[in-house]
Amino acid sequence: MIAGLLPAGVCAAEAFGDDGPAGRAVLFPAERAAVAGVSPERLREFTTVRGCARAALAGLGAAPAPLVPGPLGAPGWPAGVVGSMTHCAGYRAAAVARVSAYASLGIDAEPLEPLPAVVAARVVGPVERAWLREDFPPGGLPCDRLVFSAKEAAYKAFSPWLGGRFGFQDFTVRPYPDGTFLAIPPESETPLPVLPEEGLLGRWSARSGILLTSLLVQQSEI
């Protein structure tokens, strides 16, 4: 499913649970150390999503390598590669691309259901709520979840330049009914690359009970 949101030159792999080949991936010692003591469920999803990442890297012609979370939680990727991983209940995916074509990318997967009200209040700002009322009919798509997912994908795509953690209210996204969304990066003390003033356009889709988002920063855009 995630491949439908990605352009040529980006390789992706996905799994619907932890029982397939990706779930039997062999972790590198550094990866095992990163999840020492976690719950069995967390270990399974960690292993499966890295199995997806290894399959995506193979599609790119890159050798497998340890993908260890860094200080901000993003995995380290082999030299010359950018990538992103995501998982939610019943779904895991990874996408990778060559640095020569893409400066960064972010993907996210969420269950196709509304956010809890207390979470939605922290994620969706007043301007975004007004946009959603303008662009989407009530009672259809769980738009608060769409905003959440778009911000997750945008955070991953912008994180190489942010230099720190940012909250959901620091990002602004505007989803459109045509399966795209506009993402505007937060202000940062670390200089960001020169991006279009209006932000960057990502993509989203909803199918089989899963909401998917992606945002890619092409080298030509910075």
Side-chain angles (χ1 to χ4, degrees), residues 142-155:
C143 292
D144 52 2
R145 182 75 70 168
L146 175 55
V147 170
F148 178 92
S149 185
K151 290 187 176 185
E152 284 283 317
Y155 178 87

mmCIF file with all atom_site columns, all heavy atoms in Angstrom, residues 142-155:
data_model
loop_
_atom_site.group_PDB
_atom_site.id
_atom_site.type_symbol
_atom_site.label_atom_id
_atom_site.label_alt_id
_atom_site.label_comp_id
_atom_site.label_asym_id
_atom_site.label_entity_id
_atom_site.label_seq_id
_atom_site.pdbx_PDB_ins_code
_atom_site.Cartn_x
_atom_site.Cartn_y
_atom_site.Cartn_z
_atom_site.occupancy
_atom_site.B_iso_or_equiv
_atom_site.pdbx_formal_charge
_atom_site.auth_seq_id
_atom_site.auth_comp_id
_atom_site.auth_asym_id
_atom_site.auth_atom_id
_atom_site.pdbx_PDB_model_num
ATOM 1   N N   . PRO A 1 142 ? -11.623 10.305 9.398  1.00 0.00 ? 142 PRO A N   1
ATOM 2   C CA  . PRO A 1 142 ? -11.177 10.842 10.690 1.00 0.00 ? 142 PRO A CA  1
ATOM 3   C C   . PRO A 1 142 ? -10.048 11.852 10.477 1.00 0.00 ? 142 PRO A C   1
ATOM 4   O O   . PRO A 1 142 ? -8.865  11.521 10.502 1.00 0.00 ? 142 PRO A O   1
ATOM 5   C CB  . PRO A 1 142 ? -10.700 9.597  11.442 1.00 0.00 ? 142 PRO A CB  1
ATOM 6   C CG  . PRO A 1 142 ? -10.323 8.623  10.379 1.00 0.00 ? 142 PRO A CG  1
ATOM 7   C CD  . PRO A 1 142 ? -11.253 8.889  9.234  1.00 0.00 ? 142 PRO A CD  1
ATOM 8   N N   . CYS A 1 143 ? -10.430 13.107 10.248 1.00 0.00 ? 143 CYS A N   1
ATOM 9   C CA  . CYS A 1 143 ? -9.470  14.126 9.825  1.00 0.00 ? 143 CYS A CA  1
ATOM 10  C C   . CYS A 1 143 ? -8.442  14.457 10.891 1.00 0.00 ? 143 CYS A C   1
ATOM 11  O O   . CYS A 1 143 ? -7.314  14.850 10.569 1.00 0.00 ? 143 CYS A O   1
ATOM 12  C CB  . CYS A 1 143 ? -10.216 15.385 9.404  1.00 0.00 ? 143 CYS A CB  1
ATOM 13  S SG  . CYS A 1 143 ? -11.184 15.180 7.891  1.00 0.00 ? 143 CYS A SG  1
ATOM 14  N N   . ASP A 1 144 ? -8.826  14.325 12.180 1.00 0.00 ? 144 ASP A N   1
ATOM 15  C CA  . ASP A 1 144 ? -7.828  14.585 13.209 1.00 0.00 ? 144 ASP A CA  1
ATOM 16  C C   . ASP A 1 144 ? -6.694  13.568 13.135 1.00 0.00 ? 144 ASP A C   1
ATOM 17  O O   . ASP A 1 144 ? -5.515  13.907 13.302 1.00 0.00 ? 144 ASP A O   1
ATOM 18  C CB  . ASP A 1 144 ? -8.462  14.605 14.604 1.00 0.00 ? 144 ASP A CB  1
ATOM 19  C CG  . ASP A 1 144 ? -9.306  13.373 14.911 1.00 0.00 ? 144 ASP A CG  1
ATOM 20  O OD1 . ASP A 1 144 ? -9.387  12.454 14.060 1.00 0.00 ? 144 ASP A OD1 1
ATOM 21  O OD2 . ASP A 1 144 ? -9.889  13.317 16.010 1.00 0.00 ? 144 ASP A OD2 1
ATOM 22  N N   . ARG A 1 145 ? -7.034  12.331 12.818 1.00 0.00 ? 145 ARG A N   1
ATOM 23  C CA  . ARG A 1 145 ? -6.001  11.299 12.649 1.00 0.00 ? 145 ARG A CA  1
ATOM 24  C C   . ARG A 1 145 ? -5.147  11.595 11.411 1.00 0.00 ? 145 ARG A C   1
ATOM 25  O O   . ARG A 1 145 ? -3.940  11.347 11.407 1.00 0.00 ? 145 ARG A O   1
ATOM 26  C CB  . ARG A 1 145 ? -6.642  9.926  12.526 1.00 0.00 ? 145 ARG A CB  1
ATOM 27  C CG  . ARG A 1 145 ? -5.667  8.783  12.394 1.00 0.00 ? 145 ARG A CG  1
ATOM 28  C CD  . ARG A 1 145 ? -4.968  8.431  13.684 1.00 0.00 ? 145 ARG A CD  1
ATOM 29  N NE  . ARG A 1 145 ? -5.877  7.816  14.636 1.00 0.00 ? 145 ARG A NE  1
ATOM 30  C CZ  . ARG A 1 145 ? -5.481  7.197  15.758 1.00 0.00 ? 145 ARG A CZ  1
ATOM 31  N NH1 . ARG A 1 145 ? -4.194  7.104  16.043 1.00 0.00 ? 145 ARG A NH1 1
ATOM 32  N NH2 . ARG A 1 145 ? -6.370  6.693  16.596 1.00 0.00 ? 145 ARG A NH2 1
ATOM 33  N N   . LEU A 1 146 ? -5.772  12.111 10.357 1.00 0.00 ? 146 LEU A N   1
ATOM 34  C CA  . LEU A 1 146 ? -5.024  12.469 9.154  1.00 0.00 ? 146 LEU A CA  1
ATOM 35  C C   . LEU A 1 146 ? -4.014  13.573 9.458  1.00 0.00 ? 146 LEU A C   1
ATOM 36  O O   . LEU A 1 146 ? -2.863  13.507 9.009  1.00 0.00 ? 146 LEU A O   1
ATOM 37  C CB  . LEU A 1 146 ? -5.992  12.909 8.056  1.00 0.00 ? 146 LEU A CB  1
ATOM 38  C CG  . LEU A 1 146 ? -5.373  13.429 6.762  1.00 0.00 ? 146 LEU A CG  1
ATOM 39  C CD1 . LEU A 1 146 ? -4.410  12.420 6.157  1.00 0.00 ? 146 LEU A CD1 1
ATOM 40  C CD2 . LEU A 1 146 ? -6.469  13.789 5.763  1.00 0.00 ? 146 LEU A CD2 1
ATOM 41  N N   . VAL A 1 147 ? -4.419  14.575 10.210 1.00 0.00 ? 147 VAL A N   1
ATOM 42  C CA  . VAL A 1 147 ? -3.486  15.641 10.596 1.00 0.00 ? 147 VAL A CA  1
ATOM 43  C C   . VAL A 1 147 ? -2.349  15.066 11.432 1.00 0.00 ? 147 VAL A C   1
ATOM 44  O O   . VAL A 1 147 ? -1.169  15.402 11.228 1.00 0.00 ? 147 VAL A O   1
ATOM 45  C CB  . VAL A 1 147 ? -4.229  16.757 11.357 1.00 0.00 ? 147 VAL A CB  1
ATOM 46  C CG1 . VAL A 1 147 ? -3.234  17.744 11.976 1.00 0.00 ? 147 VAL A CG1 1
ATOM 47  C CG2 . VAL A 1 147 ? -5.180  17.487 10.422 1.00 0.00 ? 147 VAL A CG2 1
ATOM 48  N N   . PHE A 1 148 ? -2.688  14.199 12.371 1.00 0.00 ? 148 PHE A N   1
ATOM 49  C CA  . PHE A 1 148 ? -1.670  13.552 13.211 1.00 0.00 ? 148 PHE A CA  1
ATOM 50  C C   . PHE A 1 148 ? -0.653  12.821 12.343 1.00 0.00 ? 148 PHE A C   1
ATOM 51  O O   . PHE A 1 148 ? 0.570   12.981 12.507 1.00 0.00 ? 148 PHE A O   1
ATOM 52  C CB  . PHE A 1 148 ? -2.362  12.578 14.165 1.00 0.00 ? 148 PHE A CB  1
ATOM 53  C CG  . PHE A 1 148 ? -1.435  11.802 15.057 1.00 0.00 ? 148 PHE A CG  1
ATOM 54  C CD1 . PHE A 1 148 ? -1.097  12.276 16.320 1.00 0.00 ? 148 PHE A CD1 1
ATOM 55  C CD2 . PHE A 1 148 ? -0.900  10.589 14.650 1.00 0.00 ? 148 PHE A CD2 1
ATOM 56  C CE1 . PHE A 1 148 ? -0.246  11.568 17.149 1.00 0.00 ? 148 PHE A CE1 1
ATOM 57  C CE2 . PHE A 1 148 ? -0.042  9.870  15.469 1.00 0.00 ? 148 PHE A CE2 1
ATOM 58  C CZ  . PHE A 1 148 ? 0.278   10.355 16.725 1.00 0.00 ? 148 PHE A CZ  1
ATOM 59  N N   . SER A 1 149 ? -1.134  12.013 11.405 1.00 0.00 ? 149 SER A N   1
ATOM 60  C CA  . SER A 1 149 ? -0.237  11.218 10.572 1.00 0.00 ? 149 SER A CA  1
ATOM 61  C C   . SER A 1 149 ? 0.606   12.107 9.665  1.00 0.00 ? 149 SER A C   1
ATOM 62  O O   . SER A 1 149 ? 1.809   11.865 9.481  1.00 0.00 ? 149 SER A O   1
ATOM 63  C CB  . SER A 1 149 ? -1.055  10.228 9.733  1.00 0.00 ? 149 SER A CB  1
ATOM 64  O OG  . SER A 1 149 ? -0.204  9.372  8.997  1.00 0.00 ? 149 SER A OG  1
ATOM 65  N N   . ALA A 1 150 ? -0.008  13.133 9.083  1.00 0.00 ? 150 ALA A N   1
ATOM 66  C CA  . ALA A 1 150 ? 0.744   14.048 8.225  1.00 0.00 ? 150 ALA A CA  1
ATOM 67  C C   . ALA A 1 150 ? 1.847   14.745 9.008  1.00 0.00 ? 150 ALA A C   1
ATOM 68  O O   . ALA A 1 150 ? 2.961   14.953 8.502  1.00 0.00 ? 150 ALA A O   1
ATOM 69  C CB  . ALA A 1 150 ? -0.202  15.068 7.605  1.00 0.00 ? 150 ALA A CB  1
ATOM 70  N N   . LYS A 1 151 ? 1.575   15.100 10.261 1.00 0.00 ? 151 LYS A N   1
ATOM 71  C CA  . LYS A 1 151 ? 2.602   15.741 11.080 1.00 0.00 ? 151 LYS A CA  1
ATOM 72  C C   . LYS A 1 151 ? 3.708   14.760 11.450 1.00 0.00 ? 151 LYS A C   1
ATOM 73  O O   . LYS A 1 151 ? 4.882   15.138 11.543 1.00 0.00 ? 151 LYS A O   1
ATOM 74  C CB  . LYS A 1 151 ? 1.968   16.360 12.334 1.00 0.00 ? 151 LYS A CB  1
ATOM 75  C CG  . LYS A 1 151 ? 1.117   17.577 12.023 1.00 0.00 ? 151 LYS A CG  1
ATOM 76  C CD  . LYS A 1 151 ? 0.621   18.280 13.279 1.00 0.00 ? 151 LYS A CD  1
ATOM 77  C CE  . LYS A 1 151 ? -0.138  19.557 12.906 1.00 0.00 ? 151 LYS A CE  1
ATOM 78  N NZ  . LYS A 1 151 ? -0.546  20.339 14.086 1.00 0.00 ? 151 LYS A NZ  1
ATOM 79  N N   . GLU A 1 152 ? 3.355   13.502 11.661 1.00 0.00 ? 152 GLU A N   1
ATOM 80  C CA  . GLU A 1 152 ? 4.370   12.486 11.930 1.00 0.00 ? 152 GLU A CA  1
ATOM 81  C C   . GLU A 1 152 ? 5.294   12.331 10.718 1.00 0.00 ? 152 GLU A C   1
ATOM 82  O O   . GLU A 1 152 ? 6.520   12.294 10.856 1.00 0.00 ? 152 GLU A O   1
ATOM 83  C CB  . GLU A 1 152 ? 3.701   11.157 12.252 1.00 0.00 ? 152 GLU A CB  1
ATOM 84  C CG  . GLU A 1 152 ? 3.094   11.077 13.637 1.00 0.00 ? 152 GLU A CG  1
ATOM 85  C CD  . GLU A 1 152 ? 4.151   10.868 14.716 1.00 0.00 ? 152 GLU A CD  1
ATOM 86  O OE1 . GLU A 1 152 ? 5.068   10.048 14.514 1.00 0.00 ? 152 GLU A OE1 1
ATOM 87  O OE2 . GLU A 1 152 ? 4.063   11.544 15.757 1.00 0.00 ? 152 GLU A OE2 1
ATOM 88  N N   . ALA A 1 153 ? 4.733   12.213 9.523  1.00 0.00 ? 153 ALA A N   1
ATOM 89  C CA  . ALA A 1 153 ? 5.545   12.080 8.318  1.00 0.00 ? 153 ALA A CA  1
ATOM 90  C C   . ALA A 1 153 ? 6.397   13.326 8.099  1.00 0.00 ? 153 ALA A C   1
ATOM 91  O O   . ALA A 1 153 ? 7.575   13.238 7.727  1.00 0.00 ? 153 ALA A O   1
ATOM 92  C CB  . ALA A 1 153 ? 4.661   11.819 7.105  1.00 0.00 ? 153 ALA A CB  1
ATOM 93  N N   . ALA A 1 154 ? 5.801   14.506 8.334  1.00 0.00 ? 154 ALA A N   1
ATOM 94  C CA  . ALA A 1 154 ? 6.543   15.745 8.151  1.00 0.00 ? 154 ALA A CA  1
ATOM 95  C C   . ALA A 1 154 ? 7.684   15.863 9.157  1.00 0.00 ? 154 ALA A C   1
ATOM 96  O O   . ALA A 1 154 ? 8.794   16.290 8.808  1.00 0.00 ? 154 ALA A O   1
ATOM 97  C CB  . ALA A 1 154 ? 5.596   16.941 8.287  1.00 0.00 ? 154 ALA A CB  1
ATOM 98  N N   . TYR A 1 155 ? 7.431   15.472 10.393 1.00 0.00 ? 155 TYR A N   1
ATOM 99  C CA  . TYR A 1 155 ? 8.494   15.515 11.408 1.00 0.00 ? 155 TYR A CA  1
ATOM 100 C C   . TYR A 1 155 ? 9.676   14.659 10.972 1.00 0.00 ? 155 TYR A C   1
ATOM 101 O O   . TYR A 1 155 ? 10.837  15.071 11.084 1.00 0.00 ? 155 TYR A O   1
ATOM 102 C CB  . TYR A 1 155 ? 7.952   15.033 12.745 1.00 0.00 ? 155 TYR A CB  1
ATOM 103 C CG  . TYR A 1 155 ? 8.994   15.006 13.846 1.00 0.00 ? 155 TYR A CG  1
ATOM 104 C CD1 . TYR A 1 155 ? 9.229   16.145 14.614 1.00 0.00 ? 155 TYR A CD1 1
ATOM 105 C CD2 . TYR A 1 155 ? 9.739   13.865 14.115 1.00 0.00 ? 155 TYR A CD2 1
ATOM 106 C CE1 . TYR A 1 155 ? 10.184  16.140 15.617 1.00 0.00 ? 155 TYR A CE1 1
ATOM 107 C CE2 . TYR A 1 155 ? 10.691  13.853 15.111 1.00 0.00 ? 155 TYR A CE2 1
ATOM 108 C CZ  . TYR A 1 155 ? 10.918  14.990 15.860 1.00 0.00 ? 155 TYR A CZ  1
ATOM 109 O OH  . TYR A 1 155 ? 11.870  14.978 16.843 1.00 0.00 ? 155 TYR A OH  1
#
